[in-house]
């Protein structure tokens, strides 16, 4: 059974940084495409950053140059380093792991950026 547990969210002032972690238990970590998504109140969930099993990355235009996604296969964890945070980055951030048609989600972690 694959489980995802996010951590690292919190309250930060604009211009600050946070580092989110997504620890993935179960087998197949290195095969997954991992994505960080976010959902702000009243808005649809959107893809923020994605990392494929062969280490290709994809970022939303709104976070390019500010966010970095990376993985540590030794501890089955994916990180989202978020710098130069803006109030518009406020949302619940979710980790997703997918392989072919199978997709797993974490429970989410709240990020709040104050102005």
């Amino acid at each position: 059974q694959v489980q995802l547990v996010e951590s690292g969210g919190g309250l930060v002032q604009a211009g600050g940084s946070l580092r989110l972690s997504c620890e993935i238990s179960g087998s197949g970590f290195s095969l997954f495409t991992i994505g960080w998504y976010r959902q702000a109140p009243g808005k649809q969930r959107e893809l923020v950053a994605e990392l494929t099993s062969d280490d290709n990355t994809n970022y939303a235009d709104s976070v390019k140059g500010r966010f970095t996604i990376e993985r540590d296969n030794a501890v089955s964890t994916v990180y989202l380093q978020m710098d130069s945070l803006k109030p518009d980055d406020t949302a619940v951030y979710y980790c997703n792991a997918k392989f072919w048609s199978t997709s797993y989600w974490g429970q989410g972690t709240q990020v709040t950026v104050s102005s």
Side-chain angles (χ1 to χ4, degrees), residues 69-108:
I69 187 171
E70 56 189 358
R71 69 199 300 159
D72 186 341
N73 288 338
V75 292
S76 299
T77 300
V78 176
Y79 304 98
L80 184 68
Q81 178 66 41
M82 305 187 295
D83 299 318
S84 302
L85 283 162
K86 305 175 181 179
D88 283 349
D89 295 319
T90 295
V92 178
Y93 284 70
Y94 297 90
C95 181
N96 173 269
K98 62 183 178 183
F99 180 72
W100 292 102
S101 62
T102 302
S103 181
Y104 305 93
W105 290 93
Q107 82 287 351

PDB file of all heavy atoms in Angstrom, residues 69-108:
ATOM      1  N   ILE A  69      11.678  21.451  -7.277  1.00  0.00           N
ATOM      2  CA  ILE A  69      11.264  20.114  -6.869  1.00  0.00           C
ATOM      3  C   ILE A  69      12.453  19.179  -7.004  1.00  0.00           C
ATOM      4  O   ILE A  69      13.191  19.234  -7.992  1.00  0.00           O
ATOM      5  CB  ILE A  69      10.051  19.608  -7.681  1.00  0.00           C
ATOM      6  CG1 ILE A  69       9.536  18.280  -7.123  1.00  0.00           C
ATOM      7  CG2 ILE A  69      10.371  19.517  -9.165  1.00  0.00           C
ATOM      8  CD1 ILE A  69       8.207  17.843  -7.739  1.00  0.00           C
ATOM      9  N   GLU A  70      12.650  18.329  -6.011  1.00  0.00           N
ATOM     10  CA  GLU A  70      13.744  17.370  -6.059  1.00  0.00           C
ATOM     11  C   GLU A  70      13.374  16.150  -5.235  1.00  0.00           C
ATOM     12  O   GLU A  70      12.504  16.218  -4.376  1.00  0.00           O
ATOM     13  CB  GLU A  70      15.038  17.992  -5.544  1.00  0.00           C
ATOM     14  CG  GLU A  70      14.964  18.574  -4.152  1.00  0.00           C
ATOM     15  CD  GLU A  70      16.211  19.368  -3.794  1.00  0.00           C
ATOM     16  OE1 GLU A  70      17.147  19.448  -4.600  1.00  0.00           O
ATOM     17  OE2 GLU A  70      16.246  19.912  -2.676  1.00  0.00           O
ATOM     18  N   ARG A  71      14.079  15.060  -5.502  1.00  0.00           N
ATOM     19  CA  ARG A  71      13.766  13.824  -4.799  1.00  0.00           C
ATOM     20  C   ARG A  71      15.015  13.247  -4.170  1.00  0.00           C
ATOM     21  O   ARG A  71      16.123  13.447  -4.672  1.00  0.00           O
ATOM     22  CB  ARG A  71      13.117  12.818  -5.742  1.00  0.00           C
ATOM     23  CG  ARG A  71      14.059  12.255  -6.811  1.00  0.00           C
ATOM     24  CD  ARG A  71      13.306  11.647  -7.989  1.00  0.00           C
ATOM     25  NE  ARG A  71      12.447  10.548  -7.593  1.00  0.00           N
ATOM     26  CZ  ARG A  71      11.397  10.126  -8.320  1.00  0.00           C
ATOM     27  NH1 ARG A  71      11.092  10.727  -9.445  1.00  0.00           N
ATOM     28  NH2 ARG A  71      10.676   9.117  -7.916  1.00  0.00           N
ATOM     29  N   ASP A  72      14.823  12.514  -3.097  1.00  0.00           N
ATOM     30  CA  ASP A  72      15.902  11.765  -2.460  1.00  0.00           C
ATOM     31  C   ASP A  72      15.443  10.312  -2.393  1.00  0.00           C
ATOM     32  O   ASP A  72      14.649   9.940  -1.525  1.00  0.00           O
ATOM     33  CB  ASP A  72      16.187  12.322  -1.063  1.00  0.00           C
ATOM     34  CG  ASP A  72      17.398  11.665  -0.413  1.00  0.00           C
ATOM     35  OD1 ASP A  72      17.792  10.566  -0.849  1.00  0.00           O
ATOM     36  OD2 ASP A  72      17.928  12.240   0.540  1.00  0.00           O
ATOM     37  N   ASN A  73      15.923   9.516  -3.328  1.00  0.00           N
ATOM     38  CA  ASN A  73      15.485   8.121  -3.397  1.00  0.00           C
ATOM     39  C   ASN A  73      15.886   7.331  -2.152  1.00  0.00           C
ATOM     40  O   ASN A  73      15.225   6.360  -1.791  1.00  0.00           O
ATOM     41  CB  ASN A  73      16.057   7.454  -4.642  1.00  0.00           C
ATOM     42  CG  ASN A  73      15.402   7.952  -5.915  1.00  0.00           C
ATOM     43  OD1 ASN A  73      14.299   8.472  -5.900  1.00  0.00           O
ATOM     44  ND2 ASN A  73      16.101   7.811  -7.025  1.00  0.00           N
ATOM     45  N   ALA A  74      16.960   7.738  -1.488  1.00  0.00           N
ATOM     46  CA  ALA A  74      17.441   6.998  -0.316  1.00  0.00           C
ATOM     47  C   ALA A  74      16.429   7.029   0.828  1.00  0.00           C
ATOM     48  O   ALA A  74      16.368   6.083   1.625  1.00  0.00           O
ATOM     49  CB  ALA A  74      18.771   7.569   0.142  1.00  0.00           C
ATOM     50  N   VAL A  75      15.649   8.112   0.893  1.00  0.00           N
ATOM     51  CA  VAL A  75      14.661   8.221   1.981  1.00  0.00           C
ATOM     52  C   VAL A  75      13.240   8.323   1.439  1.00  0.00           C
ATOM     53  O   VAL A  75      12.307   8.663   2.172  1.00  0.00           O
ATOM     54  CB  VAL A  75      14.968   9.415   2.902  1.00  0.00           C
ATOM     55  CG1 VAL A  75      16.251   9.161   3.667  1.00  0.00           C
ATOM     56  CG2 VAL A  75      15.068  10.722   2.121  1.00  0.00           C
ATOM     57  N   SER A  76      13.077   8.006   0.143  1.00  0.00           N
ATOM     58  CA  SER A  76      11.751   7.972  -0.492  1.00  0.00           C
ATOM     59  C   SER A  76      10.961   9.255  -0.221  1.00  0.00           C
ATOM     60  O   SER A  76       9.784   9.225   0.153  1.00  0.00           O
ATOM     61  CB  SER A  76      10.949   6.760   0.010  1.00  0.00           C
ATOM     62  OG  SER A  76      11.607   5.562  -0.319  1.00  0.00           O
ATOM     63  N   THR A  77      11.624  10.372  -0.426  1.00  0.00           N
ATOM     64  CA  THR A  77      11.013  11.664  -0.123  1.00  0.00           C
ATOM     65  C   THR A  77      11.218  12.626  -1.284  1.00  0.00           C
ATOM     66  O   THR A  77      12.287  12.644  -1.911  1.00  0.00           O
ATOM     67  CB  THR A  77      11.622  12.250   1.160  1.00  0.00           C
ATOM     68  OG1 THR A  77      11.383  11.349   2.255  1.00  0.00           O
ATOM     69  CG2 THR A  77      10.990  13.599   1.502  1.00  0.00           C
ATOM     70  N   VAL A  78      10.184  13.402  -1.550  1.00  0.00           N
ATOM     71  CA  VAL A  78      10.254  14.460  -2.547  1.00  0.00           C
ATOM     72  C   VAL A  78      10.061  15.785  -1.829  1.00  0.00           C
ATOM     73  O   VAL A  78       9.218  15.899  -0.931  1.00  0.00           O
ATOM     74  CB  VAL A  78       9.173  14.276  -3.628  1.00  0.00           C
ATOM     75  CG1 VAL A  78       9.183  15.445  -4.607  1.00  0.00           C
ATOM     76  CG2 VAL A  78       9.395  12.974  -4.370  1.00  0.00           C
ATOM     77  N   TYR A  79      10.838  16.774  -2.246  1.00  0.00           N
ATOM     78  CA  TYR A  79      10.814  18.077  -1.606  1.00  0.00           C
ATOM     79  C   TYR A  79      10.346  19.148  -2.581  1.00  0.00           C
ATOM     80  O   TYR A  79      10.564  19.052  -3.789  1.00  0.00           O
ATOM     81  CB  TYR A  79      12.207  18.449  -1.091  1.00  0.00           C
ATOM     82  CG  TYR A  79      12.798  17.432  -0.160  1.00  0.00           C
ATOM     83  CD1 TYR A  79      13.705  16.486  -0.626  1.00  0.00           C
ATOM     84  CD2 TYR A  79      12.463  17.416   1.190  1.00  0.00           C
ATOM     85  CE1 TYR A  79      14.258  15.543   0.226  1.00  0.00           C
ATOM     86  CE2 TYR A  79      13.011  16.476   2.045  1.00  0.00           C
ATOM     87  CZ  TYR A  79      13.900  15.540   1.558  1.00  0.00           C
ATOM     88  OH  TYR A  79      14.437  14.610   2.410  1.00  0.00           O
ATOM     89  N   LEU A  80       9.725  20.161  -2.040  1.00  0.00           N
ATOM     90  CA  LEU A  80       9.408  21.356  -2.812  1.00  0.00           C
ATOM     91  C   LEU A  80       9.981  22.545  -2.057  1.00  0.00           C
ATOM     92  O   LEU A  80       9.458  22.931  -1.008  1.00  0.00           O
ATOM     93  CB  LEU A  80       7.901  21.522  -3.015  1.00  0.00           C
ATOM     94  CG  LEU A  80       7.496  22.696  -3.905  1.00  0.00           C
ATOM     95  CD1 LEU A  80       7.942  22.446  -5.355  1.00  0.00           C
ATOM     96  CD2 LEU A  80       5.994  22.946  -3.851  1.00  0.00           C
ATOM     97  N   GLN A  81      11.074  23.073  -2.574  1.00  0.00           N
ATOM     98  CA  GLN A  81      11.680  24.268  -1.990  1.00  0.00           C
ATOM     99  C   GLN A  81      10.989  25.480  -2.579  1.00  0.00           C
ATOM    100  O   GLN A  81      10.979  25.655  -3.801  1.00  0.00           O
ATOM    101  CB  GLN A  81      13.173  24.317  -2.294  1.00  0.00           C
ATOM    102  CG  GLN A  81      13.877  25.556  -1.768  1.00  0.00           C
ATOM    103  CD  GLN A  81      13.912  25.625  -0.259  1.00  0.00           C
ATOM    104  OE1 GLN A  81      14.132  24.614   0.399  1.00  0.00           O
ATOM    105  NE2 GLN A  81      13.692  26.820   0.281  1.00  0.00           N
ATOM    106  N   MET A  82      10.420  26.300  -1.720  1.00  0.00           N
ATOM    107  CA  MET A  82       9.655  27.455  -2.165  1.00  0.00           C
ATOM    108  C   MET A  82      10.323  28.720  -1.639  1.00  0.00           C
ATOM    109  O   MET A  82      10.386  28.931  -0.424  1.00  0.00           O
ATOM    110  CB  MET A  82       8.212  27.369  -1.662  1.00  0.00           C
ATOM    111  CG  MET A  82       7.518  26.076  -2.045  1.00  0.00           C
ATOM    112  SD  MET A  82       5.756  26.062  -1.622  1.00  0.00           S
ATOM    113  CE  MET A  82       5.847  26.139   0.162  1.00  0.00           C
ATOM    114  N   ASP A  83      10.825  29.524  -2.536  1.00  0.00           N
ATOM    115  CA  ASP A  83      11.489  30.776  -2.190  1.00  0.00           C
ATOM    116  C   ASP A  83      10.706  31.963  -2.737  1.00  0.00           C
ATOM    117  O   ASP A  83       9.858  31.808  -3.614  1.00  0.00           O
ATOM    118  CB  ASP A  83      12.914  30.788  -2.751  1.00  0.00           C
ATOM    119  CG  ASP A  83      13.777  29.673  -2.194  1.00  0.00           C
ATOM    120  OD1 ASP A  83      13.704  29.421  -0.981  1.00  0.00           O
ATOM    121  OD2 ASP A  83      14.533  29.055  -2.976  1.00  0.00           O
ATOM    122  N   SER A  84      11.000  33.125  -2.214  1.00  0.00           N
ATOM    123  CA  SER A  84      10.344  34.365  -2.659  1.00  0.00           C
ATOM    124  C   SER A  84       8.825  34.199  -2.673  1.00  0.00           C
ATOM    125  O   SER A  84       8.161  34.532  -3.654  1.00  0.00           O
ATOM    126  CB  SER A  84      10.853  34.770  -4.058  1.00  0.00           C
ATOM    127  OG  SER A  84      12.246  34.932  -4.059  1.00  0.00           O
ATOM    128  N   LEU A  85       8.316  33.688  -1.604  1.00  0.00           N
ATOM    129  CA  LEU A  85       6.882  33.402  -1.537  1.00  0.00           C
ATOM    130  C   LEU A  85       6.050  34.669  -1.605  1.00  0.00           C
ATOM    131  O   LEU A  85       6.451  35.732  -1.112  1.00  0.00           O
ATOM    132  CB  LEU A  85       6.567  32.615  -0.271  1.00  0.00           C
ATOM    133  CG  LEU A  85       6.941  31.137  -0.332  1.00  0.00           C
ATOM    134  CD1 LEU A  85       7.022  30.521   1.054  1.00  0.00           C
ATOM    135  CD2 LEU A  85       5.931  30.371  -1.194  1.00  0.00           C
ATOM    136  N   LYS A  86       4.889  34.512  -2.226  1.00  0.00           N
ATOM    137  CA  LYS A  86       3.939  35.609  -2.408  1.00  0.00           C
ATOM    138  C   LYS A  86       2.611  35.244  -1.759  1.00  0.00           C
ATOM    139  O   LYS A  86       2.286  34.052  -1.624  1.00  0.00           O
ATOM    140  CB  LYS A  86       3.724  35.857  -3.899  1.00  0.00           C
ATOM    141  CG  LYS A  86       4.977  36.107  -4.699  1.00  0.00           C
ATOM    142  CD  LYS A  86       4.649  36.209  -6.190  1.00  0.00           C
ATOM    143  CE  LYS A  86       5.894  36.427  -7.017  1.00  0.00           C
ATOM    144  NZ  LYS A  86       5.597  36.515  -8.473  1.00  0.00           N
ATOM    145  N   PRO A  87       1.809  36.240  -1.411  1.00  0.00           N
ATOM    146  CA  PRO A  87       0.478  35.918  -0.862  1.00  0.00           C
ATOM    147  C   PRO A  87      -0.343  35.016  -1.786  1.00  0.00           C
ATOM    148  O   PRO A  87      -1.126  34.187  -1.311  1.00  0.00           O
ATOM    149  CB  PRO A  87      -0.157  37.300  -0.697  1.00  0.00           C
ATOM    150  CG  PRO A  87       0.999  38.206  -0.439  1.00  0.00           C
ATOM    151  CD  PRO A  87       2.111  37.682  -1.306  1.00  0.00           C
ATOM    152  N   ASP A  88      -0.157  35.152  -3.099  1.00  0.00           N
ATOM    153  CA  ASP A  88      -0.893  34.309  -4.051  1.00  0.00           C
ATOM    154  C   ASP A  88      -0.490  32.845  -3.978  1.00  0.00           C
ATOM    155  O   ASP A  88      -1.169  31.987  -4.558  1.00  0.00           O
ATOM    156  CB  ASP A  88      -0.674  34.809  -5.493  1.00  0.00           C
ATOM    157  CG  ASP A  88      -1.491  36.051  -5.797  1.00  0.00           C
ATOM    158  OD1 ASP A  88      -2.376  36.396  -4.984  1.00  0.00           O
ATOM    159  OD2 ASP A  88      -1.242  36.669  -6.857  1.00  0.00           O
ATOM    160  N   ASP A  89       0.596  32.535  -3.286  1.00  0.00           N
ATOM    161  CA  ASP A  89       1.000  31.135  -3.114  1.00  0.00           C
ATOM    162  C   ASP A  89       0.239  30.458  -1.981  1.00  0.00           C
ATOM    163  O   ASP A  89       0.389  29.246  -1.775  1.00  0.00           O
ATOM    164  CB  ASP A  89       2.505  31.060  -2.814  1.00  0.00           C
ATOM    165  CG  ASP A  89       3.358  31.531  -3.972  1.00  0.00           C
ATOM    166  OD1 ASP A  89       3.038  31.194  -5.130  1.00  0.00           O
ATOM    167  OD2 ASP A  89       4.361  32.238  -3.725  1.00  0.00           O
ATOM    168  N   THR A  90      -0.568  31.208  -1.262  1.00  0.00           N
ATOM    169  CA  THR A  90      -1.358  30.642  -0.176  1.00  0.00           C
ATOM    170  C   THR A  90      -2.324  29.593  -0.698  1.00  0.00           C
ATOM    171  O   THR A  90      -3.117  29.857  -1.609  1.00  0.00           O
ATOM    172  CB  THR A  90      -2.136  31.753   0.553  1.00  0.00           C
ATOM    173  OG1 THR A  90      -1.188  32.635   1.180  1.00  0.00           O
ATOM    174  CG2 THR A  90      -3.071  31.170   1.608  1.00  0.00           C
ATOM    175  N   ALA A  91      -2.253  28.401  -0.131  1.00  0.00           N
ATOM    176  CA  ALA A  91      -3.086  27.289  -0.591  1.00  0.00           C
ATOM    177  C   ALA A  91      -2.779  26.060   0.262  1.00  0.00           C
ATOM    178  O   ALA A  91      -1.829  26.062   1.053  1.00  0.00           O
ATOM    179  CB  ALA A  91      -2.797  26.974  -2.053  1.00  0.00           C
ATOM    180  N   VAL A  92      -3.589  25.038   0.076  1.00  0.00           N
ATOM    181  CA  VAL A  92      -3.237  23.718   0.582  1.00  0.00           C
ATOM    182  C   VAL A  92      -2.434  23.026  -0.508  1.00  0.00           C
ATOM    183  O   VAL A  92      -2.862  22.975  -1.668  1.00  0.00           O
ATOM    184  CB  VAL A  92      -4.488  22.883   0.938  1.00  0.00           C
ATOM    185  CG1 VAL A  92      -4.074  21.493   1.410  1.00  0.00           C
ATOM    186  CG2 VAL A  92      -5.311  23.591   2.002  1.00  0.00           C
ATOM    187  N   TYR A  93      -1.276  22.529  -0.136  1.00  0.00           N
ATOM    188  CA  TYR A  93      -0.376  21.877  -1.082  1.00  0.00           C
ATOM    189  C   TYR A  93      -0.473  20.355  -0.906  1.00  0.00           C
ATOM    190  O   TYR A  93      -0.387  19.839   0.215  1.00  0.00           O
ATOM    191  CB  TYR A  93       1.054  22.348  -0.864  1.00  0.00           C
ATOM    192  CG  TYR A  93       1.297  23.730  -1.421  1.00  0.00           C
ATOM    193  CD1 TYR A  93       0.731  24.851  -0.825  1.00  0.00           C
ATOM    194  CD2 TYR A  93       2.070  23.906  -2.567  1.00  0.00           C
ATOM    195  CE1 TYR A  93       0.932  26.121  -1.356  1.00  0.00           C
ATOM    196  CE2 TYR A  93       2.281  25.166  -3.098  1.00  0.00           C
ATOM    197  CZ  TYR A  93       1.704  26.270  -2.488  1.00  0.00           C
ATOM    198  OH  TYR A  93       1.904  27.519  -3.020  1.00  0.00           O
ATOM    199  N   TYR A  94      -0.648  19.680  -2.037  1.00  0.00           N
ATOM    200  CA  TYR A  94      -0.815  18.232  -2.048  1.00  0.00           C
ATOM    201  C   TYR A  94       0.302  17.587  -2.846  1.00  0.00           C
ATOM    202  O   TYR A  94       0.703  18.090  -3.908  1.00  0.00           O
ATOM    203  CB  TYR A  94      -2.144  17.847  -2.692  1.00  0.00           C
ATOM    204  CG  TYR A  94      -3.370  18.340  -1.967  1.00  0.00           C
ATOM    205  CD1 TYR A  94      -3.927  19.572  -2.281  1.00  0.00           C
ATOM    206  CD2 TYR A  94      -3.973  17.570  -0.978  1.00  0.00           C
ATOM    207  CE1 TYR A  94      -5.061  20.030  -1.631  1.00  0.00           C
ATOM    208  CE2 TYR A  94      -5.113  18.014  -0.324  1.00  0.00           C
ATOM    209  CZ  TYR A  94      -5.646  19.248  -0.658  1.00  0.00           C
ATOM    210  OH  TYR A  94      -6.775  19.690  -0.010  1.00  0.00           O
ATOM    211  N   CYS A  95       0.725  16.440  -2.372  1.00  0.00           N
ATOM    212  CA  CYS A  95       1.695  15.622  -3.089  1.00  0.00           C
ATOM    213  C   CYS A  95       0.944  14.510  -3.817  1.00  0.00           C
ATOM    214  O   CYS A  95      -0.019  13.938  -3.276  1.00  0.00           O
ATOM    215  CB  CYS A  95       2.689  15.038  -2.083  1.00  0.00           C
ATOM    216  SG  CYS A  95       3.976  14.024  -2.799  1.00  0.00           S
ATOM    217  N   ASN A  96       1.378  14.228  -5.040  1.00  0.00           N
ATOM    218  CA  ASN A  96       0.768  13.173  -5.848  1.00  0.00           C
ATOM    219  C   ASN A  96       1.847  12.283  -6.428  1.00  0.00           C
ATOM    220  O   ASN A  96       2.879  12.773  -6.893  1.00  0.00           O
ATOM    221  CB  ASN A  96      -0.061  13.796  -6.964  1.00  0.00           C
ATOM    222  CG  ASN A  96      -0.578  12.763  -7.946  1.00  0.00           C
ATOM    223  OD1 ASN A  96       0.068  12.464  -8.942  1.00  0.00           O
ATOM    224  ND2 ASN A  96      -1.733  12.220  -7.660  1.00  0.00           N
ATOM    225  N   ALA A  97       1.599  10.999  -6.400  1.00  0.00           N
ATOM    226  CA  ALA A  97       2.515  10.038  -7.021  1.00  0.00           C
ATOM    227  C   ALA A  97       1.708   9.213  -8.019  1.00  0.00           C
ATOM    228  O   ALA A  97       0.643   8.696  -7.688  1.00  0.00           O
ATOM    229  CB  ALA A  97       3.136   9.132  -5.971  1.00  0.00           C
ATOM    230  N   LYS A  98       2.225   9.136  -9.241  1.00  0.00           N
ATOM    231  CA  LYS A  98       1.490   8.375 -10.243  1.00  0.00           C
ATOM    232  C   LYS A  98       2.417   7.481 -11.042  1.00  0.00           C
ATOM    233  O   LYS A  98       3.583   7.802 -11.301  1.00  0.00           O
ATOM    234  CB  LYS A  98       0.700   9.300 -11.171  1.00  0.00           C
ATOM    235  CG  LYS A  98       1.536  10.257 -11.968  1.00  0.00           C
ATOM    236  CD  LYS A  98       0.630  11.165 -12.801  1.00  0.00           C
ATOM    237  CE  LYS A  98       1.456  12.167 -13.587  1.00  0.00           C
ATOM    238  NZ  LYS A  98       0.618  13.121 -14.348  1.00  0.00           N
ATOM    239  N   PHE A  99       1.856   6.345 -11.429  1.00  0.00           N
ATOM    240  CA  PHE A  99       2.562   5.389 -12.278  1.00  0.00           C
ATOM    241  C   PHE A  99       1.519   4.778 -13.194  1.00  0.00           C
ATOM    242  O   PHE A  99       0.590   4.118 -12.725  1.00  0.00           O
ATOM    243  CB  PHE A  99       3.262   4.331 -11.429  1.00  0.00           C
ATOM    244  CG  PHE A  99       4.010   3.321 -12.233  1.00  0.00           C
ATOM    245  CD1 PHE A  99       5.186   3.665 -12.887  1.00  0.00           C
ATOM    246  CD2 PHE A  99       3.538   2.019 -12.378  1.00  0.00           C
ATOM    247  CE1 PHE A  99       5.888   2.750 -13.650  1.00  0.00           C
ATOM    248  CE2 PHE A  99       4.224   1.092 -13.140  1.00  0.00           C
ATOM    249  CZ  PHE A  99       5.403   1.458 -13.769  1.00  0.00           C
ATOM    250  N   TRP A 100       1.664   5.029 -14.496  1.00  0.00           N
ATOM    251  CA  TRP A 100       0.648   4.622 -15.464  1.00  0.00           C
ATOM    252  C   TRP A 100      -0.710   5.171 -15.033  1.00  0.00           C
ATOM    253  O   TRP A 100      -0.855   6.370 -14.864  1.00  0.00           O
ATOM    254  CB  TRP A 100       0.641   3.100 -15.625  1.00  0.00           C
ATOM    255  CG  TRP A 100       1.893   2.589 -16.276  1.00  0.00           C
ATOM    256  CD1 TRP A 100       2.962   2.000 -15.653  1.00  0.00           C
ATOM    257  CD2 TRP A 100       2.242   2.656 -17.666  1.00  0.00           C
ATOM    258  NE1 TRP A 100       3.941   1.703 -16.570  1.00  0.00           N
ATOM    259  CE2 TRP A 100       3.540   2.103 -17.815  1.00  0.00           C
ATOM    260  CE3 TRP A 100       1.599   3.159 -18.805  1.00  0.00           C
ATOM    261  CZ2 TRP A 100       4.184   1.999 -19.048  1.00  0.00           C
ATOM    262  CZ3 TRP A 100       2.242   3.059 -20.030  1.00  0.00           C
ATOM    263  CH2 TRP A 100       3.511   2.492 -20.142  1.00  0.00           C
ATOM    264  N   SER A 101      -1.696   4.343 -14.810  1.00  0.00           N
ATOM    265  CA  SER A 101      -3.039   4.812 -14.483  1.00  0.00           C
ATOM    266  C   SER A 101      -3.303   4.885 -12.986  1.00  0.00           C
ATOM    267  O   SER A 101      -4.403   5.251 -12.566  1.00  0.00           O
ATOM    268  CB  SER A 101      -4.072   3.902 -15.142  1.00  0.00           C
ATOM    269  OG  SER A 101      -3.943   2.580 -14.652  1.00  0.00           O
ATOM    270  N   THR A 102      -2.319   4.570 -12.190  1.00  0.00           N
ATOM    271  CA  THR A 102      -2.486   4.568 -10.740  1.00  0.00           C
ATOM    272  C   THR A 102      -1.964   5.870 -10.148  1.00  0.00           C
ATOM    273  O   THR A 102      -0.859   6.299 -10.479  1.00  0.00           O
ATOM    274  CB  THR A 102      -1.735   3.386 -10.107  1.00  0.00           C
ATOM    275  OG1 THR A 102      -2.225   2.161 -10.684  1.00  0.00           O
ATOM    276  CG2 THR A 102      -1.973   3.354  -8.613  1.00  0.00           C
ATOM    277  N   SER A 103      -2.763   6.460  -9.271  1.00  0.00           N
ATOM    278  CA  SER A 103      -2.413   7.754  -8.693  1.00  0.00           C
ATOM    279  C   SER A 103      -2.708   7.746  -7.206  1.00  0.00           C
ATOM    280  O   SER A 103      -3.744   7.232  -6.775  1.00  0.00           O
ATOM    281  CB  SER A 103      -3.221   8.850  -9.388  1.00  0.00           C
ATOM    282  OG  SER A 103      -2.899  10.122  -8.874  1.00  0.00           O
ATOM    283  N   TYR A 104      -1.799   8.322  -6.435  1.00  0.00           N
ATOM    284  CA  TYR A 104      -1.947   8.406  -4.992  1.00  0.00           C
ATOM    285  C   TYR A 104      -1.805   9.858  -4.555  1.00  0.00           C
ATOM    286  O   TYR A 104      -1.002  10.606  -5.122  1.00  0.00           O
ATOM    287  CB  TYR A 104      -0.872   7.566  -4.288  1.00  0.00           C
ATOM    288  CG  TYR A 104      -0.823   6.121  -4.707  1.00  0.00           C
ATOM    289  CD1 TYR A 104       0.029   5.709  -5.728  1.00  0.00           C
ATOM    290  CD2 TYR A 104      -1.612   5.162  -4.075  1.00  0.00           C
ATOM    291  CE1 TYR A 104       0.087   4.377  -6.114  1.00  0.00           C
ATOM    292  CE2 TYR A 104      -1.556   3.827  -4.456  1.00  0.00           C
ATOM    293  CZ  TYR A 104      -0.710   3.442  -5.479  1.00  0.00           C
ATOM    294  OH  TYR A 104      -0.656   2.126  -5.865  1.00  0.00           O
ATOM    295  N   TRP A 105      -2.570  10.203  -3.498  1.00  0.00           N
ATOM    296  CA  TRP A 105      -2.537  11.567  -2.977  1.00  0.00           C
ATOM    297  C   TRP A 105      -2.215  11.575  -1.496  1.00  0.00           C
ATOM    298  O   TRP A 105      -2.607  10.674  -0.756  1.00  0.00           O
ATOM    299  CB  TRP A 105      -3.893  12.247  -3.178  1.00  0.00           C
ATOM    300  CG  TRP A 105      -4.219  12.569  -4.592  1.00  0.00           C
ATOM    301  CD1 TRP A 105      -4.911  11.794  -5.467  1.00  0.00           C
ATOM    302  CD2 TRP A 105      -3.858  13.762  -5.308  1.00  0.00           C
ATOM    303  NE1 TRP A 105      -5.009  12.431  -6.683  1.00  0.00           N
ATOM    304  CE2 TRP A 105      -4.376  13.635  -6.613  1.00  0.00           C
ATOM    305  CE3 TRP A 105      -3.158  14.918  -4.968  1.00  0.00           C
ATOM    306  CZ2 TRP A 105      -4.212  14.626  -7.584  1.00  0.00           C
ATOM    307  CZ3 TRP A 105      -3.009  15.903  -5.933  1.00  0.00           C
ATOM    308  CH2 TRP A 105      -3.514  15.758  -7.213  1.00  0.00           C
ATOM    309  N   GLY A 106      -1.565  12.625  -1.063  1.00  0.00           N
ATOM    310  CA  GLY A 106      -1.393  12.874   0.345  1.00  0.00           C
ATOM    311  C   GLY A 106      -2.565  13.675   0.891  1.00  0.00           C
ATOM    312  O   GLY A 106      -3.486  14.039   0.154  1.00  0.00           O
ATOM    313  N   GLN A 107      -2.487  13.978   2.176  1.00  0.00           N
ATOM    314  CA  GLN A 107      -3.606  14.650   2.839  1.00  0.00           C
ATOM    315  C   GLN A 107      -3.528  16.166   2.718  1.00  0.00           C
ATOM    316  O   GLN A 107      -4.505  16.859   3.011  1.00  0.00           O
ATOM    317  CB  GLN A 107      -3.630  14.265   4.333  1.00  0.00           C
ATOM    318  CG  GLN A 107      -2.673  15.045   5.236  1.00  0.00           C
ATOM    319  CD  GLN A 107      -1.207  14.670   5.057  1.00  0.00           C
ATOM    320  OE1 GLN A 107      -0.879  13.704   4.362  1.00  0.00           O
ATOM    321  NE2 GLN A 107      -0.319  15.415   5.702  1.00  0.00           N
ATOM    322  N   GLY A 108      -2.393  16.672   2.297  1.00  0.00           N
ATOM    323  CA  GLY A 108      -2.239  18.107   2.099  1.00  0.00           C
ATOM    324  C   GLY A 108      -1.611  18.803   3.296  1.00  0.00           C
ATOM    325  O   GLY A 108      -1.718  18.342   4.435  1.00  0.00           O
TER     326      GLY A 108
END
